[in-house]
Structure formats: C-alpha cells, structure tokens
Amino acid sequence: MESRLYNRLLFRLLALPVAALAFLALILGYGLQRVEESAKAIDRADVVILHGNRLTKLILDEETGLRGFLLTRNPVFLQPLHSADLQIEPEFDTLFTLIQRPDQLARLHRIQASHKQWELEAYHEIDAFPQDESTLEQHMLQRKQDMDDLRVQIDEFLNIFIGRRAQRSAEDILVNRNARILLLFAVALIAGLLVWETRRIFRVLTAAYNQQIKEIKQRVDESYAREQWLNTTIRSIGDAVIACDTEGTIVFMNRVAEELTGWQEQEAHGISLHRVFPIFNEDTRAAVENPVDKVRRLGTIVGLANHTFLVSKDGSEICIDDSGAPICDSSGKMIGIVLVFRDITERRMSEGALMRAEKLAAAGRLAASVAHEVNNPLEGLTNLVYIARRSDELDEIRHLLSQAESELGRIAHITRQSLGFYRETAIAAHFKPATVVHEVSDFYTARAATLGVALVVNTTTEREVLGTAGELRQVLSNLLANGLDACSRGDTIRLEANSATDPRDSTRQGVRITIADTGQGIPPEHLDSVFEPFFTTKKDTGTGLGLWVSRELVEKHGGSLRVRSRTVTPGCGTVFSIFLPLQGGPHSAAQLNGHQPQNDLAVN
C-alpha cells in the first residue's frame, strides 16, 4: 500500500470520531443554548411578575391609607400612602428595565400615567378635606373605582407575562424532549456510520497489512538470495576481501584473504584488523597507516600508498595494492568497513624490470649526449695541437696550449656534470630544491642554446625538503628534456621553484617546482595517458617509461606530479607541476632507522 493511501485511511479513521463528536457537541450546544434562553425568559417573567405584584401591593397600600384618612380624618393613616408613594416609582423603573417589547412598554406607560392621575386626585382630596359626607362618599367611591381600573390594568399586564411564562415552560419542555430525541437519533446514526466506516477501513488496512507481510516475506527471500549470491561471489573472486565493524574488528574474510594473511576466517573472527593485516613500506619498512583507520577518520573510500607489503602470519612478505571503503546504512551512518587487496608481487617485479630497462635507455641517451657535448671541444683540441706542431713561434704555441687547456677544462666540466647525475648517494637528506633546479638548468643550457630555445630560471624559496636530491635531478632532467623535444626555435621554457602548500592538504607545507614550455603541447586525447608505462609519442627514441618513473619517484617522496597542456594558440604549451612536502615521504623513516633503499633509476 502506498504511504499516502495508508496515511489517508488512518486520517479518516481518526477524523470520523472527531467529526462525530463535534457534530454531537453542536447539537448538544444548540439544545443547551435553547434551554438557557428559555430559562432566562422564564426568570425574566418571574422577576416582572414579582415586581408587578409588589407594585399592586403598594398601590393597594396607597388606597387603604387614603380611605383610612378620609374615614377617620387621622393623619396617621397617610403614612402608608406616603411610604408606598416613595417605592412605586423605583418599581416602575425596574419594570421598564426588564421589559423589551414595545407593546408591553406602552401598556406599562399607560399604567404609570393612570397611577399618577390617581395620586393627583387623591392628594387633591386630602388637601380639600374636610368635605361633607355625601361628597366624601361620592369621592371615595370614585377613587375606589379608579383604583379597581388600575388594578385591572396591572392584572392584565401581569397575566400577559404569566401566560408567556407558561408558554415558555411548555416550549422548554417540548424543546428538551425534541432535543433528547434528536440527540438519541444522531448518536444512533453516527454510531452506525462509524461502525460501518471503521469496519470498511479496517478491512482495507487488514488487506494492505497482509499484502505488506507478503511483500516483506518476498523481499526477505530475495534479500537472502542476494546475500547468498553476494557471499558466494565475494568468496570466489580473485581479490582478497576483509570486512570489519566500525571498531576495526574482523567479521568476514574470503578464501584469498585467508591465503594472503595466513589466518583462517574462524580464528580471525572478532580479532582486530591491525593484528591480522600488518602492512609496511617497502623502502623504509616503517609501519603504514591501516586503511580501515583511515576510512574511519575520513569517512570516504581510500587507497593504499604505493610500495606497501603485507606480513602474513608465517612471516612472509607480500607486495599488495588495496583500497578501503565505508559500509553505510540507508541514513548514511557508517556501519562497517570493507577492505579489498591483491598480491602484486609479480607486478612489482615487472615494474622493477621496466625501471632497470629505462635506466639502461637513459644511460644510452646520456652517453650520446655526453659524446655530442665532448665532441666539439675534442675537435677544437685536435686542431690546436695540429697548429701548435707546425708553429715555430713560442708565444703562438703558448697561446695555442692555453686554448687547448681551456677546452680540456670544458670536457672535464661536462664529465663531472654527467657523473653528478648518477653518482649521488640515495640516503635521504635535507636539500634545497632550488639548488637542484639551477644545477639541472645549467646542464641543459648549452642544448637549449643550440636549439634556439630560451631557458628562464626563477627561484624564490630557500626551503629544504627531506629526500634524495639525485632523484629530483633525474625527474627534472626528464621533464626538461621532454620540454626541449617539444619546443622549436623561438620558444621558451620556464623553471620556477616557490614555497607552496599541498593542493590535496592545505596544512602541508612544501615546495612547488614548475616546468612550463611554449611548445606544441600534448593532444587532449593523450593527456590522460602520459603517466602510463610504455605510452610515448616518440616512436623512434622514446621508451614510454620516463613520465611513469618520474611520477613514481615524486610520489615516493610523498609529493605529487600534475600536468596541464594546451594545443590551441594562443597560449599553447605544457606545464608540469611538482609538489614536494617539507618532511618528505617514506625517506623520513629511512633516515631515522638507518635503512638505505636501493638507488632509483634515471628517467628521460
């Protein structure tokens, strides 16, 4: 079931009772409101009747007081008249505030006017007293008649409220009965609707639940099948695979991993990877950071450093290449780490053979270069000796011998420079890359001048790095020779050495060396292959190993070698950038433990 449909059904299941309760609350509220209105109307009628009765009693007191005074001529009987007179007007005011209908207000005003008229005539008779008996009797009968009329008006006024109160009571009873009937009917109807709709929704939810259970079971079966496929595949592939939890504890090893490490999966299960997978640098034999630790630290896929070997359980050393990757759940949280590695001993032997072959080729090219550079001064020296033999002038002979000595010094300088490239110790030491840049440029200055290429050198740093100066000479010699081959007359090659930071890690300080030429550039389709072994565009003279070996040597120092090129004018040319960290690479450990790695090979 889709989540939207599921949420909609749940909403309806919860909303229906709420809506029903709200509807019932409206009905009950309406009934209570009607009851409250009816009760207020009845209470108002009771209050009006109460004040009407009090008004009738006060008027009766006035009539009694007036009659007593007229019959006895005693002023004491006027006290009830005066007392009632003071209370009658407040009673009228109270009734005016309680009555809202205009006809009732008009009736009340007429009653008030009739009462005031009766009071005027009553006080007139009191002031005109004494009178003769016949006149007094006649007036008394007239006042009684007027008072009876007034009481009749008040009784009619009160009877209206009494009737309406009775009507309100009857209506209230009817409303209460109808409200109870309606409420019971609504409750029954809503209960029936709720039961029907709830059963329907539950049937849908039950069907969806059963379907989901069926789908979950199917997915579990599929997951188990995929797990079996994956488990069989991983155990059967040619690479070694080790899986660990987030703490670096081994939970899985395939057959190849058992063969390379010498540990069986059962005995390695639950043991730390550091114990089962100890790795070291081939050159320095220093311990290398475990890839699982690096994955835990960085949280990304990582590769093993070059020239790494594994020490198996029986103590044998195996050259390996590996990578580690995090295993994450659906939320991206790391739940494990997988390590994949392979035995590259044969590949390392092949690489060694290639580097030895490149060394022989470089030696041949160097011999040809030295022969070319020495040939010119040798020819000059031969000519000077020939001229000196046929000269009888001692001064001329001395001058010729001086020139011959100069040519011999030139030959010695070329020889020393050539030997300097190959007779330097490979023990790591601190050296200034800027000095090596100047030495290499001096060696190629004559060749550049012969080709008509401007060689510009600019160094702005005196920083020292830890490594082998001879290896850097070999790398720079190869890159500079390639640049001269790519340039024609009028082009320029710039060598620069500056302080910089590692482009991969801004916290690492070091030196950047740049070799930039304005030659023909490297075609874009070849740019991704220049560091691959045996790739070359020099079909007759190149071996295709020079740049590959150069990158190996730079990475051996913990640095990086990058290239960018452009073949479209303006701005065509190639730029090689070398970064060397101050602390160097594996050589740092070599210097500390006294280990001397084998001398690296020359590159072209």
Side-chain angles (χ1 to χ4, degrees):
M1 176 184 290
E2 296 183 359
S3 59
R4 293 178 58 185
L5 178 59
Y6 182 76
N7 293 334
R8 188 163 62 249
L9 289 174
L10 287 181
F11 175 78
R12 289 172 60 183
L13 188 62
L14 296 176
L16 283 175
V18 174
L21 290 176
F23 180 71
L24 293 176
L26 289 176
I27 296 176
L28 184 59
Y30 175 75
L32 292 176
Q33 182 181 3
R34 290 295 304 271
V35 170
E36 183 179 1
E37 291 177 355
S38 178
K40 288 182 178 179
I42 293 174
D43 291 341
R44 187 182 300 111
D46 289 339
V47 173
V48 171
I49 293 172
L50 174 64
H51 287 279
N53 291 329
R54 290 179 63 183
L55 182 63
T56 302
K57 179 179 179 301
L58 292 172
I59 292 175
L60 182 60
D61 290 342
E62 283 185 322
E63 180 187 9
T64 303
L66 178 63
R67 184 182 301 114
F69 174 76
L70 294 178
L71 291 175
T72 63
R73 298 176 183 174
N74 187 353
V76 175
F77 287 97
L78 293 177
Q79 183 62 34
L81 174 64
H82 294 313
S83 176
D85 187 20
L86 294 176
Q87 299 181 45
I88 285 176
E89 285 303 322
E91 291 295 333
F92 272 113
D93 294 338
T94 301
L95 289 173
F96 279 125
T97 59
L98 293 174
I99 297 172
Q100 297 176 352
R101 294 183 56 175
D103 56 337
Q104 295 173 353
L105 289 173
R107 185 183 296 273
L108 187 60
H109 279 295
R110 288 195 297 271
I111 293 174
Q112 185 182 29
S114 299
H115 173 262
K116 287 182 178 181
Q117 181 64 32
W118 184 87
E119 280 187 341
L120 289 175
E121 293 177 353
Y123 281 107
H124 178 72
E125 289 184 359
I126 293 172
D127 293 337
F129 189 81
Q131 297 177 356
D132 57 87
E133 292 184 2
S134 61
T135 303
L136 178 61
E137 183 179 357
Q138 184 179 0
H139 285 178
M140 289 177 62
L141 291 174
Q142 184 63 39
R143 299 288 81 74
K144 181 179 183 304
Q145 182 65 37
D146 293 338
M147 182 58 68
D148 291 340
D149 294 337
L150 182 60
R151 282 199 297 269
V152 169
Q153 294 182 32
I154 294 175
D155 290 340
E156 290 177 354
F157 175 78
L158 293 178
N159 288 333
I160 292 175
F161 280 94
I162 293 172
R164 288 186 177 176
R165 183 186 183 283
Q167 182 182 359
R168 286 281 187 178
S169 298
E171 290 178 354
D172 188 26
I173 294 173
L174 181 62
V175 167
N176 289 336
R177 185 184 64 185
N178 293 337
R180 285 194 296 271
I181 295 173
L182 179 61
L183 186 60
L184 291 175
F185 176 76
V187 169
L189 178 62
I190 292 174
L193 291 176
L194 284 176
V195 171
W196 177 79
E197 183 66 13
T198 303
R199 289 185 61 188
R200 192 181 71 83
I201 293 175
F202 268 109
R203 283 197 299 270
V204 175
L205 289 176
T206 302
Y209 176 77
N210 293 332
Q211 181 65 26
Q212 286 182 346
I213 292 297
K214 182 178 179 181
E215 292 177 357
I216 290 173
K217 184 178 182 303
Q218 182 179 356
R219 291 177 182 177
V220 169
D221 294 339
E222 293 175 354
S223 177
Y224 178 77
R226 285 195 299 269
E227 182 181 354
Q228 294 302 312
W229 274 81
L230 181 61
N231 186 56
T232 303
T233 301
I234 291 177
R235 292 186 181 276
S236 303
I237 62 175
D239 288 344
V241 179
I242 299 178
C244 306
D245 58 18
T246 55
E247 300 300 324
T249 302
I250 295 176
V251 297
F252 172 83
M253 291 178 64
N254 68 350
R255 180 181 55 81
V256 180
E258 291 178 343
E259 294 175 356
L260 294 182
T261 61
W263 289 75
Q264 297 297 316
E265 182 180 9
Q266 292 80 3
E267 61 179 339
H269 191 278
I271 297 177
S272 174
L273 182 69
H274 297 83
R275 183 179 174 186
V276 178
F277 191 74
I279 52 178
F280 303 88
N281 183 269
E282 293 179 16
D283 299 315
T284 66
R285 306 191 69 82
V288 176
E289 181 183 13
N290 196 288
V292 170
D293 294 336
K294 197 170 184 179
V295 171
R296 292 171 59 190
R297 177 165 51 86
L298 300 178
T300 59
I301 299 175
V302 298
L304 193 65
N306 293 332
H307 309 288
T308 302
F309 69 88
L310 165 69
V311 178
S312 64
K313 188 177 182 180
D314 60 5
S316 59
E317 299 178 359
I318 303 171
C319 296
I320 62 170
D321 179 20
D322 77 345
S323 63
I327 303 173
C328 301
D329 58 14
S330 58
S331 63
K333 180 182 179 181
M334 184 185 301
I335 58 175
I337 300 168
V338 62
L339 177 67
V340 181
F341 59 98
R342 63 188 62 86
D343 185 355
I344 60 169
T345 303
E346 294 184 1
R347 192 182 79 182
R348 186 72 73 234
M349 294 173 63
S350 300
E351 290 176 354
L354 292 177
M355 296 186 76
R356 286 191 294 272
E358 174 63 14
K359 181 176 181 180
L360 293 176
R365 287 191 295 272
L366 178 65
S369 177
V370 171
H372 179 270
E373 295 294 331
V374 172
N375 183 60
N376 290 334
L378 281 177
E379 289 181 355
L381 184 61
T382 302
N383 292 333
L384 289 172
V385 172
Y386 177 79
I387 295 173
R389 282 180 179 178
R390 285 164 176 71
S391 177
D392 295 331
E393 296 293 334
L394 184 59
D395 292 339
E396 183 181 2
I397 293 173
R398 289 178 177 175
H399 177 68
L400 293 173
L401 290 176
S402 176
Q403 290 182 339
E405 184 181 10
S406 177
E407 293 298 327
L408 287 172
R410 180 181 172 190
I411 293 173
H413 176 71
I414 293 173
T415 303
R416 285 193 301 271
Q417 273 192 316
S418 302
L419 294 177
F421 273 81
Y422 295 94
R423 288 189 177 178
E424 183 166 340
T425 177
I427 298 177
H430 287 92
F431 68 94
K432 294 181 179 180
T435 301
V436 178
V437 169
H438 283 289
E439 291 174 353
V440 175
S441 63
D442 289 342
F443 184 80
Y444 283 94
T445 298
R447 180 181 173 187
T450 302
L451 296 175
V453 177
L455 191 58
V456 180
V457 181
N458 180 29
T459 58
T460 61
T461 180
E462 293 297 323
R463 281 183 174 179
E464 293 185 348
V465 300
L466 183 61
T468 306
E471 293 176 348
L472 179 59
R473 286 193 186 93
Q474 295 165 17
V475 174
L476 294 180
S477 176
N478 176 64
L479 297 178
L480 189 53
N482 288 346
L484 289 172
D485 291 340
C487 290
S488 57
R489 186 170 297 276
D491 287 334
T492 302
I493 298 179
R494 298 183 63 88
L495 276 78
E496 296 184 354
N498 307 297
S499 301
T501 57
D502 191 343
R504 300 166 298 181
D505 185 356
S506 60
T507 61
R508 296 181 73 198
Q509 299 293 321
V511 176
R512 179 181 289 110
I513 302 173
T514 305
I515 302 96
D517 64 66
T518 59
Q520 58 188 1
I522 303 173
E525 63 271 16
H526 295 162
L527 198 59
D528 294 335
S529 304
V530 293
F531 292 112
E532 296 178 1
F534 299 112
F535 179 82
T536 180
T537 57
K538 305 173 186 178
K539 300 302 181 181
D540 298 328
T541 60
T543 63
L545 297 174
L547 290 177
W548 172 68
V549 174
S550 296
R551 186 174 65 174
E552 289 286 319
L553 295 177
V554 172
E555 290 180 350
K556 180 181 177 181
H557 285 74
S560 60
L561 175 59
R562 299 167 180 259
V563 61
R564 66 178 186 273
S565 186
R566 178 182 174 89
T567 58
V568 180
T569 57
C572 68
T574 302
V575 179
F576 283 92
S577 178
I578 302 171
F579 175 80
L580 298 175
L582 296 182
Q583 297 302 321
H587 291 296
S588 303
Q591 187 186 39
L592 294 176
N593 58 24
H595 173 71
Q596 297 183 9
Q598 296 179 355
N599 191 23
D600 283 286
L601 307 177
V603 293
N604 67 327

